[in-house]
Amino acid sequence: MKFTVSEIAQMLDGTIVGDEKITINSAAKIEEGQPGCISFLANSKYEAFIYTTQSSAVIVNKDFAPKKEVAATLIYVENAYTAFTILLEEYQKRLSRIKTGVEQPSFIGENSKLGDDCYRGAFSYIGKNCIIGDDVKIYPHAYLGDNVSIGAGSVIHPGVRIYDNTVIGKCCTIFANTVIGGDGFGFAPQSDGSYKTIPQLGNVIIEDDVSIGSNTTIDCATMGSTIIRQGVKIDNLVQIAHNVEIGKNTVIAAQSGISGSTTVGEQCIIAGQVGVVGHITIANNTKIGAQSGLGKSIKKEGLSLSGSPARDLNEHLRSMALVRRLPEMEERLKDLESKHETSDFQEPVKQP
Amino acid sequence: MKFTVSEIAQMLDGTIVGDEKITINSAAKIEEGQPGCISFLANSKYEAFIYTTQSSAVIVNKDFAPKKEVAATLIYVENAYTAFTILLEEYQKRLSRIKTGVEQPSFIGENSKLGDDCYRGAFSYIGKNCIIGDDVKIYPHAYLGDNVSIGAGSVIHPGVRIYDNTVIGKCCTIFANTVIGGDGFGFAPQSDGSYKTIPQLGNVIIEDDVSIGSNTTIDCATMGSTIIRQGVKIDNLVQIAHNVEIGKNTVIAAQSGISGSTTVGEQCIIAGQVGVVGHITIANNTKIGAQSGLGKSIKKEGLSLSGSPARDLNEHLRSMALVRRLPEMEERLKDLESKHETSDFQEPVKQP
Amino acid sequence: MKFTVSEIAQMLDGTIVGDEKITINSAAKIEEGQPGCISFLANSKYEAFIYTTQSSAVIVNKDFAPKKEVAATLIYVENAYTAFTILLEEYQKRLSRIKTGVEQPSFIGENSKLGDDCYRGAFSYIGKNCIIGDDVKIYPHAYLGDNVSIGAGSVIHPGVRIYDNTVIGKCCTIFANTVIGGDGFGFAPQSDGSYKTIPQLGNVIIEDDVSIGSNTTIDCATMGSTIIRQGVKIDNLVQIAHNVEIGKNTVIAAQSGISGSTTVGEQCIIAGQVGVVGHITIANNTKIGAQSGLGKSIKKEGLSLSGSPARDLNEHLRSMALVRRLPEMEERLKDLESKHETSDFQEPVKQP
């Protein structure tokens, strides 16, 4: 996909200084630019690069005054960083719009319906009675079971597995090989030591604007629904167990796990490799530090927690600092003890 | 799939009070029921819901005496919860029985044989010389390498990868995108700093009644077999390394990892995000708490362990409580030290 | 695949004692051997097994002098273990060479080119403008987006997902269901509490001789490239975030995660379940123990680190030993305090 500098300037409401007919086919950091690339300069720390960059065009803030000659065409805008982001988004949007139609072979079950401008990649599988909205992109090797519904504008990447009865909202993105709606991990112990499988009959509901990374797993509910609320962002290799609910706009980083029947509030931030036990409730705006293990409900909003078991971040840091100083503390303890021994020894002397 | 209340009552050996011809097509919690649903009431805490539920039928204990009018048809049974579980299982069983036959396109290599009533989904791949038992369900996009054998009644979900020579028992369930039999992580360091791959020629053996979650990985043995014994239940995103053996009826929760050549005993319970080092042996009935790291063999049966490094659960909790109180302990230490300084200062006074 | 003992001896430059026409079709540990198997005896600890093994042939060190009769054919070599490894490698190589040609149905986009002796499994998908070197094996259900290049001799296992613009070197192995080049986890918080997706336009570059396990995720860079240098070995279920660089010959064990924009040096060893924060630099030859959490840059080469937060291994072990002894330390503290109370009580006595 190619744009001219003139088209880009129009898109960004910018002013051009230099050749407006140059063709742009890629974006790059200003220090790594090549001919055909567009870059941006927002932070004056990087200004030196604008005089040497190989990029064909650079987006700059409207108050930028070059101190030397600049080879690249400049596009002056209100805010260079924001403008660059808008440009990248537009590029992505156009790119994704390119994929439409059906590649063969692909499979679609009876009574399943797709909206306009959808893409179905080769080897994609759609079960029975599915309802797929407009502009939905289903990449190669994606699997949708029966009775799945997907809202308009969502993108299902290669190898994603979506089990029966899953409901996915609008403008969601699910990255490769993520599994939505596998059975919750529920087994009833039997008297002979074996375990009997507890049937998992619920489903997963994912609301609008949710993003889910690669190789993540979200289990269906035993009964009812596992629910991922609007705007939630989930990273790679995350585990969301059965009957969990993740509140609006909460962010969960890679390799974290939320155990069964736990409710996470809105606007929470859960860092990487965190573990959360089952059957608890976490208040809105809670922040949980990387590798923490949360074992009980958090009722107060806005706390920052860390450690395993997780507690107040500052208290945790203070304790960790003292753990590091334990050898020193023990020395001090020994020291006191030896003084006491001495004084014990002296006591008979004192007593009389 | 639909049942009448009369069919359900027969299945559960129950007695009907109300309309026995009502049709049931789904199950729901009593507080979330809709017309067409069946629910259960086992715990009197939820009794209020039975008078307001929208469910068409409710399974109740035989001693249940309604205090108000109930709109739903009631099915009286010995134990409402058990009966409900039996019903769900029966439903699941019938559901899975529906899938039979072969969807096209699908691939099957030479000399591979399937039993009766199998299902092969579209885009499923079966290599050469595979032996697949009766009633085995192989979902779309599943991959079986060469010389794989799968016992009767096992279900291989979408996107599961089963490498060459894997042996899977009867009535196993393997959820989506799990990988069985990838190479063990074995590399020999060379004098130039590079690593040479140690060929991994063994396989994986999975016995009967094993359940394995989504996106889990079980590596093949370097030589010999990685073995998952009968009745083992493994959750999502679990790592089982080469030459590991997991004993009968052991349960492993999500995101835990067992390193190479470790033997885990029978009836163990390993919680989420646990790490176990290689080349150790864990006794039967060991319980390991979430996020623990086990670094040495456990010889005594029945222990509960926690922490990283893992040790006796109670000792760990005691230490963790003191870690939380370290700032206070340091205060006390300072206090003692200051007293000593005072008393050191006074000593010259005392001595003469 | 079968070999005669005579062929094997020639391959290993060995001397045969026994029947050289016996056919070998498998390898096994000496204590588990069956007819048709070849085993090795390198460690005298296992010598007893050579007199009872069912293996048809055993590779032994040139100085091995049997104390009893041996039924198996013996192959005498310089170093039995090394010879056995060479044999296994040769076997693997020949095995992989068997897979060539194209299974149908498979998909290949316009302008994509493959070298000689490649394998394309059924249901494999190759996008547009891909360049695939000689001897590359692309297993069933593998997905390559557009503009992907793969160097000669690399093996892409079943279900691997390789996003657009990824560059993979020569002789790399990527195991099943691993995802290369999914979007980095980047979102800009908005004033209404929602998050806006930051477009991820970079790619992933994997150099030669890299091995990547199953169900691992390597994200593409926001801009520029996520880079995995030559000879790196990555295990299963590992997370490598956007813009990370992993130095030459570094090894990363299962379930570890490296956060965005971090640079890991050469020849590092990162054990299992380790977490590394973003935007730091780790010096060459750093060793990080299992379950550690590394929160800051490591500038000195060759350190061994452990703990969360990670620090010098020996210091960490010393602190951990004291954490275990905290209950005892508190007793000692109490003891001292009670003595002081006593002595406080006595002081009035002393003072006058």
Side-chain angles (χ1 to χ4, degrees), chain A residues 123 161 201 308 325 332, chain B residues 88 141 177 236 291 330 337:
Chain A
F123 316 122
R161 314 295 166 196
L201 295 180
S308 176
R325 285 172 45 211
R332 287 160 61 189
Chain B
L88 296 188
H141 304 115
N177 286 354
N236 302 334
Q291 294 192 322
E330 217 223 352
E337 285 168 335

Side-chain angles (χ1 to χ4, degrees), chain A residues 312-328:
Chain A
D312 177 77
L313 173 63
N314 289 323
E315 285 175 19
H316 172 69
L317 293 176
R318 220 172 299 140
S319 288
M320 284 302 104
L322 286 171
V323 165
R324 268 194 296 282
R325 285 172 45 211
L326 269 176
E328 177 213 312

Side-chain angles (χ1 to χ4, degrees), chain A residues 80-92:
Chain A
Y81 180 70
T82 304
F84 191 69
T85 305
I86 290 167
L87 179 64
L88 296 188
E89 275 172 16
E90 184 59 29
Y91 179 80
Q92 286 281 78

Side-chain angles (χ1 to χ4, degrees), chain C residues 152-226:
Chain C
S154 286
V155 183
I156 309 302
H157 283 254
V160 169
R161 315 295 168 196
I162 301 176
Y163 279 83
D164 295 357
N165 309 314
T166 301
V167 177
I168 296 179
K170 293 175 194 157
C171 299
C172 291
T173 306
I174 303 178
F175 286 91
N177 285 354
T178 277
V179 178
I180 312 284
D183 270 17
F185 194 62
F187 300 93
Q190 305 298 299
S191 55
D192 65 349
S194 71
Y195 289 88
K196 202 169 174 179
T197 302
I198 298 168
Q200 305 288 314
L201 295 179
N203 72 340
V204 176
I205 296 175
I206 294 173
E207 296 187 348
D208 299 344
D209 303 314
V210 170
S211 177
I212 302 173
S214 301
N215 276 340
T216 276
T217 56
I218 301 181
D219 285 349
C220 74
T222 309
M223 281 189 285
S225 301
T226 302

Side-chain angles (χ1 to χ4, degrees), chain B residues 262-308:
Chain B
T262 280
T263 299
V264 179
E266 301 182 359
Q267 303 283 151
C268 294
I269 296 177
I270 299 179
Q273 298 185 335
V274 167
V276 176
V277 297
H279 298 273
I280 67 169
T281 300
I282 301 177
N284 296 341
N285 289 299
T286 302
K287 287 187 180 58
I288 309 181
Q291 294 192 322
S292 298
L294 184 58
K296 55 183 188 190
S297 286
I298 301 300
K299 280 164 191 162
K300 199 179 158 195
E301 298 197 1
L303 296 183
S304 286
L305 307 169
S306 193
S308 177

